[in-house]
Amino acid sequence: MWTAAVLTFVALMLSPPERVGGRVSSSLRLQLPHGGWLVGRHLSSHNGRHMRAFMGVPYALPPVGELRFKSPVPQPGWEGERLAVKDAAICMQRDPFRRDMLIEGSEDCLYLNVYTPEIERLNGASLPVMVWFHGGGWECGSGISGFYGPDFLLDHDIVLVSANFRLGPLGFLSTETLDCPGNNGLKDQLEVLRWVQNNIAIFGGSPSNVTVFGESAGGASVTYHMLSDKSRGLMQRGIAQSGTYFNPWAQPAHKGVAARRAEKLTQLVGCDQAGEDWTSKIECLRKRSAQDIVATVYDMFVWDFDPMIPFPPVVEPEHSEAFLSVAPRKASTPHGFDLPLLIGATAEEGILKTAALLNLPHLLDDFKTNFGKVLPIVLNYDHHAGELQQKITESIEQFYFKSGHDYNRTNHQNLTNVGWRINVSRKSYEKHVYSFQLISDGWFIAGIDEYLRLRMAAGKAPTYVYLFDHKGAASFSEIFKGGHDDYYGACHAEELQYLFPIGRELFVSAVPTQQDLELRQLMLNMWINFARTGNPNIAKNSSDLPTWQPATSYPVEYMRIGTKRDAHEERHPLLRWEAALLQQRANFWHNLKPHLPAGQCPHKGTHNEL
């Protein structure tokens, strides 16, 4: 969710000039269907393969002035040549995990990057297309190359597209009326997928072989596109990493919540006196500076930086441009259940939150002291009546904290981290889970489990499930206030450094181990193979690679990816085929549904609306 929360490490670059003169290689000069030309640049992949990059390509008009808070307007094109050799500015944002006052980016940000092998390698063939939607809680992050570069993926024959989309109140403000129905960030993504259909063939990509993949909020975005009829036919498969629309932070805001936050925003920027109706207030907001609007994000938090996403997707009133007009739990079987899906999580997702809790003593003390008040806010069930909130909290406390709230930096497993110890006997490896992960389960595992139950019940298309469980040379726990010395586990976003060159910006002092390098190749091959064919399995050169079977029934079988053994210990497989994904913990959240009043669980077999 907060994988791009570290963009302070990435230099911002402004949009390039629109015209270029001088000598240009013919392979870097492309004419788009609207008649205008793009002039790209030459880059090299990690292994030295030549590739072409077309960066800062506009896919929609700048959403400024009268276009603020409206659906994106497709870019109509341009005449002549446009230089596409640098990243565009990121979308304006305020990153909550930096815990500072910085506001960065631009409101003029609806641009994408396209990376493709050199033209000689194409040889007339159309390549599979992978479209990346970044994480960041629909609040921060970007698709720029400094973070999500093509270095690793373009060692393979694919076309990669990464894009910016509007974030925070500029992307997800909703009045719950037609004045500002909401979901504009998701509609930006939709416009990216439409752009791909209309233009990607020019870059050597196949519009009929598109895989949409993303992590955290990007992963939840994938499932939203597999639900919305507006996205039907624009993708052939999906990869949802650490997120679905059933995760509590990703679910549509409950009725009235979005409007109340919109009202609060108008008060904070002085638009509450513009008139009694939303039309007047939205017109006032269009005249306020984007910085003033984005600055209000921090004022939406109730405790620490929670609720984690103040401006999530919403159920829109019916209108022709609505991306989502029915809540996911009330929707009919999604069209995406007919498409192959690769889906999974990291073993210790919750470090995203608990790293800060464990390393900021005042925050941990407040969390323990006010547990009954804080937990409903953190886990997004504070919309329920007080008595019901209390029952849910008591159930959680009994399951995760039977011995009390005695956790700290050295004893934090029941709060966040799977406790683990290794016994080596007869060359065997055993991992004993002796405690549970409250934040991991409440924020991530429960929602992924609910999505899998429904998808298995539908039984339509292959579903490949994984759990990323690797101890590498660097960890994202450092980014989330975990420090450099303690290892907490396979943190949220940990797998990204094996798909993208993130370490180049974030972990400059960490040297990948041989296991890290091997795991990177395995993951790249599995993700690429899935994008090509819908099957992640690697052609076996040896017998030690297990076959990754699609899950066909619940509880699901899955692939455990990685190892927590240090490189100097006895070698342990990087891929292991296992059954029943974190089942005891998943069952606890599923069985919370008896606490809910009648009518709040419309799908048989789903759990509550936490």
Side-chain angles (χ1 to χ4, degrees), residues 314-368:
V314 296
V315 175
E316 301 173 52
E318 290 282 357
H319 64 110
S320 61
E321 296 177 356
F323 180 85
L324 183 70
S325 56
V326 178
R329 286 195 178 92
K330 297 179 180 179
S332 57
T333 302
H335 68 87
F337 280 11
D338 292 323
L339 305 178
L341 176 68
L342 193 155
I343 184 172
T346 68
E348 285 85 40
E349 296 273 11
I351 295 169
L352 163 69
K353 180 67 178 180
T354 57
L357 284 176
L358 297 168
N359 284 279
L360 300 175
H362 69 283
L363 197 61
L364 184 60
D365 289 343
D366 193 25
F367 182 81
K368 291 180 179 181

Side-chain angles (χ1 to χ4, degrees), residues 130-199:
M130 298 184 73
V131 180
W132 173 254
F133 291 140
H134 66 81
W138 297 303
E139 249 186 311
C140 57
S142 81
I144 65 174
S145 62
F147 207 73
Y148 296 118
D151 304 45
F152 300 159
L153 288 165
L154 263 293
D155 275 331
H156 303 263
D157 286 336
I158 64 160
V159 174
L160 174 66
V161 178
S162 61
N164 292 339
F165 46 88
R166 281 172 286 178
L167 304 165
L170 292 175
F172 290 88
L173 183 77
S174 173
T175 62
E176 301 183 49
T177 68
L178 293 179
D179 301 284
C180 181
N183 294 330
N184 286 321
L186 291 172
K187 293 170 186 175
D188 292 343
Q189 295 179 0
L190 176 64
E191 194 57 45
V192 170
L193 298 182
R194 290 169 172 164
W195 186 95
V196 167
Q197 288 298 305
N198 294 329
N199 296 277

Side-chain angles (χ1 to χ4, degrees), residues 190-332:
L190 176 64
E191 194 57 45
V192 170
L193 298 182
R194 290 169 172 164
W195 186 95
V196 167
Q197 288 298 305
N198 294 329
N199 296 277
I200 206 65
I202 301 297
F203 298 85
S206 171
S208 61
N209 191 3
V210 176
T211 297
V212 181
F213 70 132
E215 188 269 347
S216 198
S221 296
V222 171
T223 62
Y224 270 118
H225 287 290
M226 298 179 85
L227 173 67
S228 174
D229 278 338
K230 286 288 194 293
S231 303
R232 187 188 294 269
L234 300 181
M235 58 190 292
Q236 280 66 54
R237 57 193 67 88
I239 302 176
Q241 302 171 212
S242 298
T244 76
Y245 49 60
F246 285 141
N247 294 109
W249 45 265
Q251 291 180 33
H254 291 269
K255 188 171 180 58
V257 172
R260 287 195 295 272
R261 290 175 183 166
E263 183 63 44
K264 183 174 182 178
L265 190 150
T266 65
Q267 296 170 2
L268 290 168
V269 299
C271 284
D272 52 319
Q273 302 300 317
E276 295 296 323
D277 60 302
W278 277 119
T279 300
S280 301
K281 293 176 181 178
I282 291 298
E283 283 304 313
C284 178
L285 288 176
R286 289 194 174 102
K287 296 174 183 177
R288 292 293 187 263
S289 74
Q291 289 88 345
D292 287 347
I293 291 172
V294 172
T296 64
V297 168
Y298 279 24
D299 295 292
M300 302 296 168
F301 298 124
V302 180
W303 181 82
D304 190 40
F305 290 96
D306 292 291
M308 179 166 42
I309 302 178
F311 296 99
V314 296
V315 175
E316 301 173 52
E318 290 282 357
H319 64 110
S320 61
E321 296 177 356
F323 180 85
L324 183 70
S325 56
V326 178
R329 286 195 178 92
K330 297 179 180 179
S332 57

Side-chain angles (χ1 to χ4, degrees), residues 396-426:
I396 291 172
E397 198 162 17
Q398 182 179 5
F399 186 70
Y400 288 95
F401 302 110
K402 290 181 179 178
S403 60
H405 296 268
D406 59 346
Y407 40 85
N408 52 49
R409 287 185 66 187
T410 59
N411 176 33
H412 58 88
Q413 288 80 14
N414 53 345
L415 178 63
T416 178
N417 206 51
V418 167
W420 59 284
R421 60 182 182 271
I422 299 173
N423 296 330
V424 179
S425 175
R426 297 179 184 178

Side-chain angles (χ1 to χ4, degrees), residues 27 46 57 62 114 168 219 234 546:
S27 66
H46 181 73
V57 180
V114 183
L234 300 181

Side-chain angles (χ1 to χ4, degrees), residues 58-70:
Y59 66 85
L61 294 180
V64 300
E66 288 302 309
L67 296 184
R68 182 187 285 176
F69 304 129
K70 290 185 178 180

